[in-house]
Amino acid sequence: MKRIFSGVQPTGNLHLGNYLGAIRNWVQLQKDYESIFCVVDMHAITVWQDPAELTRTTREVTAAYIAAGIDPEACIIFHQSAVPGHAQLAWVFNCVARMGWLNRMTQFKEKAGKHKENASVGLFAYPDLMAADILLYKATHVPVGEDQKQHLELTRDIAQKFNNDFGREVFPITEPLILGTATRVMSLRDGSKKMSKSETSDFSRINLRDDADLIAQKIRKAKTDPEPLPSEIAGLENRPEAANLVGIFAALSDSTREAVLAEHGGQPFSAFKQSLTDLSVEVLGPMNAEMNRLLANPDEIDAILKRGAERAQAIAGPILDEVYETVGFLRP
Ligand code: TYM
């Protein structure tokens, strides 16, 4: 059986990187996989979150999933803290994963920065919770952007060590699915930096809740170079900003970078940016409208999350029982 699990943290603004690197791919995959999509609120609190804001962004990410085209009937959509097995399995994995493994995680180093001693223990143990998210459902595939690759390798290591330690094939060795032309969307202001929720300049990213005017302004101001667009991929070398905009265009139009360059090669950036704006507004506009509609009806969102949590629990419960029994925990 093929089952996918993936999630987004409800922190700050959802942006085009989250959409193109993850959510848009899920919409395609839901047809072929049993699909579980989580709003990972427990991951969010590894750095400080204002409580009211966390509640709001949990609903906002849920609305984005649905507005993007994830079918809450066919798929399971829920928030992490509603299924206690995530925390329970994460504890077992805290005891399986080694300090040395977690010490190598680049995301911890980036997020903790110079103030490592002051980072939360949760931020350090974050990848164990992520492994628990995935393996609590024995997910076989995990669709994510490129930045999550290292965490997924750790998930595989944890599954393997658990299976070896206990001499039982309890967990599958999960495959990452890093798909499409926008697996790493870069900042609009600096083609060497990832587009990110935490970047201070709002002009570095397109947020899923930006309106058409703001999208147009941000694309107009996006950093480029003075040369026109090349007609072939080789011409994008050492032009990170140009490569980024072409990758975004290809992903938004379900096309390839080659096809985009064949059509737009030779154009000055002013013309290409206008086409990219029109395309972005065409794709994001209806999503934005649906998100606004859903967010005006929080009861509808909460009902979807509640039903999703019940369905997730029905899968997770027996798997956690199997783990507890394997570990030797006396069952009441
Ligand atoms: P998060 O919330 O940072 O990002 C959610 C998804 O968006 C992708 N992404 C990007 N893709 C392309 N370009 C970008 N600039 C970009 N920025 C973000 C991420 O790769 C991700 O797929 N640890 C995860 C959340 C998580 C999770 C899980 C994911 C928790 N448990 C279990 C999969 C399975 C995270 O922080 O994603």
Side-chain angles (χ1 to χ4, degrees):
M1 187 197 41
K2 295 195 299 182
R3 179 182 283 160
I4 56 178
F5 182 98
S6 200
V8 174
Q9 294 193 64
T11 49
N13 287 311
L14 270 180
H15 54 70
L16 197 60
N18 300 129
Y19 177 59
L20 295 179
I23 303 170
R24 191 176 169 92
N25 294 327
W26 306 351
V27 176
Q28 291 306 315
L29 293 164
Q30 66 180 333
K31 300 183 193 114
D32 300 320
Y33 291 81
E34 182 185 356
S35 303
I36 306 175
F37 299 118
C38 188
V39 183
V40 290
D41 51 357
M42 288 163 58
H43 276 100
I45 64 162
T46 56
V47 296
W48 169 253
Q49 302 298 327
D50 174 77
E53 187 60 13
L54 181 64
T55 306
R56 191 189 68 75
T57 48
T58 300
R59 291 197 180 107
E60 189 171 271
V61 173
T62 311
Y65 288 0
I66 299 163
I70 294 177
D71 176 357
E73 289 302 315
C75 308
I76 297 177
I77 299 177
F78 75 109
H79 60 301
Q80 191 181 25
S81 61
V83 176
H86 291 258
Q88 291 168 300
L89 186 58
W91 181 258
V92 174
F93 288 169
N94 282 341
C95 303
V96 173
R98 307 288 93 184
M99 290 293 287
W101 299 0
L102 292 178
N103 267 329
R104 284 195 287 276
M105 295 292 115
T106 53
Q107 186 169 300
F108 175 75
K109 289 179 199 158
E110 277 162 28
K111 286 204 176 173
K114 291 190 200 95
H115 311 290
K116 221 170 114 190
E117 293 298 314
N118 214 14
S120 72
V121 175
L123 189 66
F124 186 70
Y126 179 113
D128 291 348
L129 178 59
M130 182 160 159
D133 297 340
I134 296 164
L135 296 173
L136 185 60
Y137 303 92
K138 297 194 181 183
T140 55
H141 296 80
V142 180
V144 284
E146 209 177 273
D147 60 348
Q148 296 302 312
K149 211 169 155 185
Q150 196 186 32
H151 288 156
L152 294 183
E153 281 161 12
L154 187 91
T155 300
R156 293 162 65 95
D157 290 343
I158 289 176
Q160 202 127 42
K161 181 160 165 41
F162 184 97
N163 291 349
N164 284 346
D165 286 352
F166 294 98
R168 279 208 218 173
E169 292 302 301
V170 175
F171 294 119
I173 308 301
T174 304
E175 294 289 339
L177 292 175
I178 299 176
L179 304 169
T181 58
T183 57
R184 189 174 175 83
V185 177
M186 308 309 278
S187 156
L188 298 181
R189 309 297 287 165
D190 178 349
S192 67
K193 277 195 190 160
K194 190 177 74 170
M195 186 178 282
S196 141
K197 294 172 194 149
S198 52
E199 176 66 43
T200 38
S201 164
D202 197 52
F203 273 71
S204 68
R205 63 182 163 258
I206 294 173
N207 302 310
L208 297 190
R209 301 205 68 197
D210 288 348
D211 63 19
D213 282 346
L214 195 51
I215 292 175
Q217 276 185 49
K218 287 179 174 180
I219 294 180
R220 212 176 311 124
K221 290 206 169 154
K223 186 177 168 196
T224 45
D225 57 46
E227 302 296 317
L229 267 190
S231 300
E232 287 170 4
I233 297 284
L236 291 173
E237 208 171 313
N238 299 323
R239 297 177 69 187
E241 285 84 14
N244 189 36
L245 296 185
V246 170
I248 291 173
F249 197 109
L252 280 172
S253 56
D254 283 326
S255 176
T256 61
R257 296 186 310 154
E258 285 81 353
V260 172
L261 291 181
E263 191 181 338
H264 297 273
Q267 284 181 1
F269 272 105
S270 52
F272 182 64
K273 282 179 167 183
Q274 186 55 53
S275 306
L276 182 58
T277 301
D278 295 344
L279 175 63
S280 304
V281 170
E282 190 187 312
V283 175
L284 300 181
M287 259 178 71
N288 193 334
E290 176 63 1
M291 277 178 80
N292 289 336
R293 186 195 70 75
L294 283 161
L295 289 166
N297 296 288
D299 291 350
E300 188 179 333
I301 298 177
D302 294 358
I304 289 170
L305 288 174
K306 181 164 185 284
R307 172 88 187 103
E310 288 161 4
R311 291 165 68 198
Q313 177 59 37
I315 300 173
I319 295 176
L320 189 73
D321 283 346
E322 183 189 354
V323 173
Y324 272 20
E325 197 250 318
T326 302
V327 169
F329 287 159
L330 187 63
R331 307 304 291 137

